[in-house]
Amino acid sequence: MSMKKRLVAMSLAAAFAGGAWAADPVKIGLVLPMSGPFAAYGKQIENGVKLYLATKGDTFAGRKVELIVKDDSPGTSGDVSKRLAQELVVKDKVDILAGFGLTPSAFAVAPLATEAKKPMVVMNAATSSVTTKSPYIVRASMTLPQNSAPIATWAAKNKIKNVFTLVADYGPGHDAEGQFKKTFTAAGGQIVGEVRSPVKNPDFAPFLQKIKDTKPDAVFIFLPPGAETIAFMKGFKERGLAEAGIRLISTGDLPDEDILEAIGDSALGLVTSFHYSEAHKSPENKAYTEAYYKAYPKDRPNFMSIGGYDGMHLIAEVLKKTGGNTDAEKFVEAAKGMKWTSPRGVVSIDPATRDIVQTIYIRKVERVAGKLQNVEFDSIPDLKDPGKQ
Ligand code: PHB
């Protein structure tokens, strides 16, 4: 054998020993809103993905991860998301589709994942039915029913007898409204009013007036965090709803760390249920938040960034299990039942639904070391998505 042939043979053997062609990167196409009203979602999710690669290494089963980010701003137009995902599959030849800040984006890309046989890892989009739209979807974030049921139970146990619901008029809002109502009324509570606000440019003034006139014990709200949430909180304060004795309850999307300081002191005392808080006390979260601030000093770790971080963890672990094989069927089989300790707590992938099972915490907004934080005081472990039961 010539020297050259021997070298080739040796490097081939080395590549196979690693379980895959060492030179063949694994391409992940991230579909995320990187500009527009939900640009923070894309930034935070990308931060989480990149932090995972920076702290845990970027090569799994011999395959180096290559990220290709497509901005599907505003994230609410399915057509844009679908066209970009098509480009990722056809032109960039990605192995895995991932990201998905908002539900319309995940809904629009799901049929493409099925058709092109690509694994699709959802890092935020949280409408319960998302995972039913393709057999190749695995979700690393949460669902709205999963986060709405615990706060409904908490409210019923804490002298809140009647509630007015206000939700954004699309998938996650409908899920939040439906699950809250189901759990709260089953616990003896009453729904005294329901409104759905437009996702784009809502005017909260008439809704706030109606709520004030109805005088419920509390308002339950779901809005995708952003400028509109801040506007709602401002209106709630200015119109004196708190002074009228009306409490505010919600899922943790409302006091998201990303907008919490912008909401300001009017968030103090707000009780919510959620799967992630920057203030979660665990060694894993301490290491995560410290690394996060080191890498992104201007951003706060939040539920979006943990969705990206854990979504990347899931991909890495699947690659290790399959020896670098990204075939959609094999990917999903390897993901089913996977369990790990995330900075948010112990999580697993439900083999029946490919959705995440996790602890949901009840938290209260407090000032901790000068910063508004969601301080956890109760928890519901191993909660599956109630939206699928
Ligand atoms: C969604 O569109 O699925 C969505 C967006 C923001 C959230 C939760 C869900 O906070």
Side-chain angles (χ1 to χ4, degrees):
M1 213 189 271
S2 74
M3 183 62 147
K4 196 173 165 197
K5 270 190 180 157
R6 207 157 44 223
L7 280 176
V8 170
M10 272 165 63
S11 61
L12 279 181
F16 278 120
W21 293 88
D24 192 6
V26 56
K27 288 189 184 181
I28 305 175
L30 289 172
V31 180
L32 291 170
M34 301 305 294
S35 57
F38 302 112
Y41 297 14
K43 180 182 66 175
Q44 291 282 17
I45 291 171
E46 189 188 24
N47 281 356
V49 171
K50 288 192 167 164
L51 186 63
Y52 189 87
L53 298 173
T55 53
K56 309 280 178 183
D58 63 358
T59 304
F60 308 100
R63 299 187 70 180
K64 189 177 159 68
V65 170
E66 195 181 302
L67 302 175
I68 304 168
V69 182
K70 296 276 182 196
D71 176 6
D72 74 342
S73 169
T76 48
S77 157
D79 289 345
V80 174
S81 310
K82 186 165 184 190
R83 178 172 54 75
L84 294 171
Q86 230 144 14
E87 241 177 75
L88 284 167
V89 169
V90 177
K91 263 182 60 199
D92 299 306
K93 305 217 164 12
V94 298
D95 301 293
I96 298 165
L97 290 164
F100 311 101
L102 292 108
T103 288
S105 163
F107 275 171
V109 176
L112 182 72
T114 307
E115 198 185 314
K117 284 193 151 250
K118 297 291 172 195
M120 174 167 161
V121 178
V122 174
M123 295 170 165
N124 185 57
T127 299
S128 176
S129 64
V130 163
T131 47
T132 68
K133 303 296 181 194
S134 168
Y136 304 139
I137 294 179
V138 180
R139 181 155 42 196
S141 51
M142 54 123 168
T143 80
L144 257 304
Q146 195 175 39
N147 271 312
S148 303
I151 192 66
T153 305
W154 181 87
K157 281 189 190 154
N158 285 274
K159 301 199 176 81
I160 294 174
K161 299 212 160 28
N162 55 75
V163 168
F164 199 114
T165 64
L166 184 156
V167 300
D169 192 6
Y170 79 124
H174 302 167
D175 269 10
E177 178 196 87
Q179 187 65 48
F180 185 89
K181 191 176 182 172
K182 191 174 168 187
T183 307
F184 189 60
T185 55
Q190 207 190 338
I191 302 294
V192 290
E194 293 174 35
V195 286
R196 293 177 172 185
S197 56
V199 180
K200 273 184 218 140
N201 308 313
D203 174 12
F204 294 118
F207 298 143
L208 286 163
Q209 193 54 49
K210 191 161 178 224
I211 293 166
K212 200 174 174 189
D213 295 342
T214 311
K215 268 186 167 292
D217 292 333
V219 197
F220 168 76
I221 90 157
F222 169 79
L223 297 171
E228 305 302 351
T229 317
I230 299 164
F232 173 85
M233 290 300 281
K234 197 163 167 258
F236 192 87
K237 191 178 167 191
E238 283 173 2
R239 286 174 178 265
L241 274 80
E243 283 81 6
I246 301 168
R247 294 189 66 170
L248 189 60
I249 49 175
S250 73
T251 58
D253 307 82
L254 175 61
D256 168 22
E257 283 83 357
D258 214 62
I259 56 168
L260 194 46
E261 290 300 335
I263 294 172
D265 281 350
S266 58
L268 281 168
L270 176 66
V271 175
T272 63
S273 49
F274 221 34
H275 57 295
Y276 183 73
S277 165
E278 181 191 331
H280 177 65
K281 284 199 169 66
S282 75
E284 291 81 12
N285 194 45
K286 187 169 184 287
Y288 173 73
T289 52
E290 280 173 10
Y292 197 92
Y293 278 117
K294 218 169 144 192
Y296 318 106
K298 290 200 190 105
D299 301 327
R300 284 184 69 171
N302 72 342
F303 73 106
M304 297 274 177
S305 59
I306 206 68
Y309 185 83
D310 280 335
M312 190 57 233
H313 174 86
L314 180 116
I315 294 171
E317 290 302 311
V318 165
L319 289 172
K320 287 187 204 167
K321 253 172 108 173
T322 63
N325 193 329
T326 57
D327 169 78
E329 306 276 353
K330 289 199 173 72
F331 187 101
V332 165
E333 278 319 303
K336 284 181 180 177
M338 199 172 263
K339 189 172 183 172
W340 70 97
T341 304
S342 153
R344 67 180 106 165
V346 175
V347 301
S348 66
I349 302 299
D350 184 349
T353 63
R354 291 163 278 108
D355 228 326
I356 194 157
V357 182
Q358 59 192 335
T359 302
I360 301 299
Y361 306 88
I362 310 291
R363 321 91 50 81
K364 188 185 213 165
V365 177
E366 290 174 16
R367 216 169 253 292
V368 181
K371 228 178 185 181
L372 291 170
Q373 290 284 11
N374 293 291
V375 178
E376 295 167 353
F377 63 89
D378 202 358
S379 63
I380 300 96
D382 298 329
L383 191 65
K384 282 188 189 179
D385 173 28
K388 292 192 193 68
Q389 282 158 18

